[in-house]
Amino acid sequence: MDTKAILSMNKASWEQSAERFFGRAALPEFGPFAPTEDELKLFGEIQDKKVLDIGCGSGHSLKYMGDKGAKELWGLDLTTKQIETAREVLHSQSPPVTLFESPMEVNPGIPSDYFDIAYSIYALGWTVDLAKTLTHIHRYLKPGGRLVFSWEHPMHDRVKPTDSGYRFEQSYVTEGPEYNEAWHKSVIIHHRKLSTYINTLIEAGFEMERVIDDVALPEVVPEGDRYKWYSVEKAKLVPVTFIIKARKK
Ligand SMILES: C[S@@+](CC[C@H](N)C(=O)[O-])C[C@H]1O[C@@H](n2cnc3c(N)ncnc32)[C@H](O)[C@@H]1O
């Protein structure tokens, strides 16, 4: 399947599923079992900063940025339903809001050397072309601007629960497009090693500042935990979410 066909399949699936995700992966959260921005303070001062959200979904992370005093709120997302919801969520924000319905693999009209902060919460890994996407983001940032993003750790879906323990079911080292099991094969996500994210950032002109794959566990283990996609028991063995902070040189 070529890039266009994958994007069109993923978009169709997101249009159907969008509501399940409204506000589900949004700042100050970085994702399942990850430490939050309240603890990590990766963004530093947000007041008066121009921010860009890649895969902004329902706009809840942009709202967080607006509430923290960002000067301009920009976002893009592939899914019509997400952009429509983001417009509603952000309608009472006072800083100017600019939203694009667009895949992150193309530039829909975002200025160069403009943003202090670009970020992506559980969205960047959807890209069909990581190098192209990171090159675009690098161009949008001012020199010294920061990119912060989170995504599911590439080790997480390789390991599956069994009745007696856990089994490695898929290769960590073999990369490429895969039907995603959690989405019942209605989307394609590229499996990439953590080193591929890091090396592609470096090749795009970023300097690495932090890589975080710590696990923050809840005190209470929920009923039926073992077979949930995000399970506490499993999170004690393999990282669930990774977060990267990088700087445009
Ligand atoms: C888990 S949601 C992100 C939630 C969002 N970051 C927030 O803060 O609320 C993932 C988003 O990625 C978007 N997405 C998937 N593939 C994309 C692509 N190639 N380009 C742009 N957005 C994409 C989906 O439409 C979805 O809204």
Side-chain angles (χ1 to χ4, degrees):
M1 232 189 255
D2 65 13
T3 298
K4 233 171 138 188
I6 296 175
L7 285 172
S8 145
M9 176 183 174
N10 287 0
K11 178 174 162 61
S13 204
W14 265 105
E15 295 296 355
Q16 280 181 9
S17 312
E19 270 161 59
R20 273 202 295 135
F21 290 90
F22 288 167
R24 204 166 110 185
L27 289 170
E29 310 276 326
F30 281 106
F33 302 133
T36 67
E37 172 60 7
D38 297 337
E39 296 155 62
L40 296 171
K41 303 196 186 328
L42 295 176
F43 290 105
E45 188 53 75
I46 292 163
Q47 185 75 37
D48 289 330
K49 298 282 172 20
K50 295 181 202 165
V51 306
L52 169 65
D53 188 329
I54 303 293
C56 64
S58 51
H60 288 83
S61 293
L62 279 169
K63 181 172 183 322
Y64 170 89
M65 287 290 180
D67 292 344
K68 292 273 177 195
K71 187 177 172 184
E72 291 181 26
L73 303 173
W74 294 61
L76 71 77
D77 200 281
L78 180 68
T79 308
T80 312
K81 216 169 200 176
Q82 295 281 55
I83 289 292
E84 283 170 0
T85 307
R87 286 195 206 290
E88 282 164 32
V89 166
L90 298 167
H91 82 277
S92 59
Q93 284 291 316
S94 46
V97 178
T98 310
L99 297 174
F100 297 96
E101 183 187 320
S102 167
M104 62 181 92
E105 293 81 356
V106 301
N107 178 357
I110 298 173
S112 300
D113 295 323
Y114 193 75
F115 295 93
D116 302 288
I117 297 170
Y119 65 92
S120 179
I121 311 301
Y122 259 70
L124 193 91
W126 282 99
T127 186
V128 176
D129 189 333
L130 183 63
K132 204 179 255 180
T133 298
L134 290 178
T135 302
H136 283 309
I137 297 172
H138 185 269
R139 190 168 305 130
Y140 304 147
L141 284 167
K142 292 176 184 169
R146 298 318 205 273
L147 167 63
V148 176
F149 74 91
S150 64
W151 184 243
E152 188 175 284
H153 196 289
M155 191 67 90
H156 182 259
D157 71 346
R158 307 289 98 179
V159 178
K160 298 279 157 35
T162 66
D163 288 343
S164 57
Y166 286 88
R167 190 170 59 216
F168 230 96
E169 280 199 348
Q170 276 168 289
S171 167
Y172 175 77
V173 294
T174 305
E175 302 187 289
E178 293 176 356
Y179 282 107
N180 188 269
E181 198 192 309
W183 284 72
H184 308 294
K185 303 200 167 178
S186 63
V187 297
I188 285 182
I189 300 184
H190 282 65
H191 173 72
R192 303 179 179 99
K193 295 179 289 180
L194 190 56
S195 58
T196 297
Y197 282 98
I198 295 170
N199 290 325
T200 314
L201 279 160
I202 294 167
E203 280 154 25
F206 285 98
E207 202 170 72
M208 296 299 298
E209 290 198 322
R210 270 185 89 176
V211 181
I212 295 153
D213 61 3
D214 297 337
V215 173
L217 294 172
E219 275 169 26
V220 180
V221 178
E223 192 80 19
D225 172 72
R226 162 164 271 259
Y227 291 98
K228 285 188 189 305
W229 186 262
Y230 294 117
S231 136
V232 177
E233 191 183 309
K234 184 170 160 183
K236 290 179 183 169
L237 301 172
V238 289
V240 184
T241 296
F242 73 92
I243 308 165
I244 288 184
K245 179 177 179 183
R247 177 179 175 276
K248 175 173 176 171
K249 283 194 277 185

